[in-house]
Amino acid sequence: MSPILKTVNPCFPRSGHRFLRNIFEAYFDDQFVFGSVHNAAERKVTEDTNYIKDHDTGLLSGKSDRQITSDARYLVQYRHPLESIQSYFEFIVCRGKLEDSPEKWAGFLPQRLRFWKAFVRKWCLDPGMRANDRVHRVQYDALYSNTVGEAEKAISFLTGGQVEIDHKRLESAVGQFSRGFCRYRIDDGMEEKLINARRDVREFRYFNDDFYRLEEALARDYLEPLGIPRLFGDTDATPPAMSVNLPTEPARHRRAG
């Protein structure tokens, strides 16, 4: 019997879901049974599924796809909105689902920012969710700066704290995707793809002064309560490189795009 308790994974798109999931798959092996309600082609949810990915995209229209129940468990992932929305835009454009133009970006940003706000208000900032011990939150920067520590806490959550962590196995699982650049498996084949070094959002082709204004407007009510580091400091210095902490072989990384 799998030690993993059935868990829903609400994650805002481009917030590190695949990276963390690959660590789980390497650590738990066939005890980890993944399914997705966001994309049935990825892996369908079955009776055996114990980890269910859900972007809760209904929040785009103000209606949630995922109703919170008292007996369910939720592992929630989120990221700085300007980083995740830029990456989300690139992802959709790359797949030919959206025209790459300043006009499309100008419409995409406010729509997806409303989605991000609704997502974190529901899953992270609601007082009932914050106090619920059936909810565990993984913040993108924390995951990439302290991968082993964050993965250990997430694994403990998945097992209800009833299984002792195998630290050697965990370090091996993290190491598969953390040395060099982080790697992830592509679901429809055996191919592995590198997650590129994080791109500074100021290098984005549609970057403008609105990014500074938006971050300032988000800081008090969203970024600070969520523990998300700001991208732009008083001196507008380039954000520092981040590290994936491996006790046996530390390596320097920048956050993935």
Side-chain angles (χ1 to χ4, degrees):
M1 179 179 293
S2 173
I4 301 171
L5 303 174
K6 184 166 286 190
T7 303
V8 177
N9 173 218
C11 55
F12 192 82
R14 317 303 286 174
S15 295
H17 158 81
R18 192 184 295 267
F19 179 50
L20 185 58
R21 183 180 111 205
N22 282 346
I23 292 172
F24 290 156
E25 289 178 333
Y27 181 83
F28 288 110
D29 198 19
D30 59 3
Q31 293 181 321
F32 182 86
V33 185
F34 169 74
S36 173
V37 298
H38 162 64
N39 182 1
E42 204 169 23
R43 276 183 222 171
K44 292 182 179 179
V45 175
T46 68
E47 290 185 3
D48 295 329
T49 301
N50 52 29
Y51 194 79
I52 304 168
K53 174 186 176 183
D54 186 358
H55 285 323
D56 203 359
T57 51
L59 291 168
L60 274 165
S61 60
K63 297 180 180 179
S64 177
D65 293 330
R66 173 65 59 177
Q67 300 303 315
I68 298 169
T69 62
S70 60
D71 59 345
R73 301 172 64 81
Y74 303 97
L75 189 151
V76 182
Q77 291 181 265
Y78 61 95
R79 182 183 185 182
H80 193 296
L82 297 180
E83 288 188 318
S84 57
I85 293 170
Q86 179 208 336
S87 181
Y88 198 10
F89 179 80
E90 301 277 18
F91 180 83
I92 294 174
V93 166
C94 182
R95 280 153 182 75
K97 297 180 179 180
L98 187 67
E99 176 188 338
D100 186 2
S101 70
E103 292 76 21
K104 291 297 183 183
W105 167 251
F108 188 85
L109 175 58
Q111 180 197 45
R112 299 296 160 152
L113 186 57
R114 286 193 295 271
F115 175 22
W116 183 89
K117 287 179 178 179
F119 183 92
V120 297
R121 282 197 300 263
K122 174 181 176 179
W123 292 106
C124 304
L125 297 175
D126 180 270
M129 293 296 282
R130 293 182 70 88
N132 191 336
D133 60 6
R134 292 180 178 272
V135 180
H136 179 74
R137 283 166 288 275
V138 180
Q139 200 263 102
Y140 183 94
D141 295 86
L143 177 63
Y144 276 89
S145 62
N146 181 21
T147 305
V148 169
E150 290 298 310
E152 180 176 343
K153 288 186 285 187
I155 288 170
S156 181
F157 176 76
L158 292 187
T159 61
Q162 300 302 306
V163 179
E164 185 176 354
I165 300 290
D166 184 334
H167 294 281
K168 186 174 182 180
R169 185 175 180 86
L170 174 57
E171 290 168 21
S172 175
V174 170
Q176 291 183 45
F177 303 102
S178 299
R179 291 191 173 91
F181 290 119
C182 301
R183 294 178 180 269
Y184 66 84
R185 296 193 187 106
I186 296 175
D187 288 328
D188 57 2
M190 297 302 293
E191 180 184 358
E192 285 192 344
K193 183 176 180 180
L194 287 173
I195 298 177
N196 296 325
R198 175 186 173 249
R199 293 163 295 174
D200 188 328
V201 295
R202 286 163 292 193
E203 297 173 0
F204 179 47
R205 56 194 171 281
Y206 303 131
F207 177 83
N208 57 36
D209 288 345
D210 287 345
F211 279 65
Y212 300 107
R213 177 182 58 78
L214 286 172
E215 182 177 69
E216 185 62 34
L218 291 164
R220 186 186 67 179
D221 294 331
Y222 293 96
L223 303 185
E224 292 172 9
L226 291 168
I228 298 176
R230 294 175 67 159
L231 299 176
F232 314 122
D234 294 336
T235 59
D236 192 28
T238 300
M242 302 192 70
S243 64
V244 175
N245 291 344
L246 292 168
T248 55
E249 185 180 332
R252 299 296 295 175
H253 299 276
R254 300 194 72 187
R255 287 177 288 180

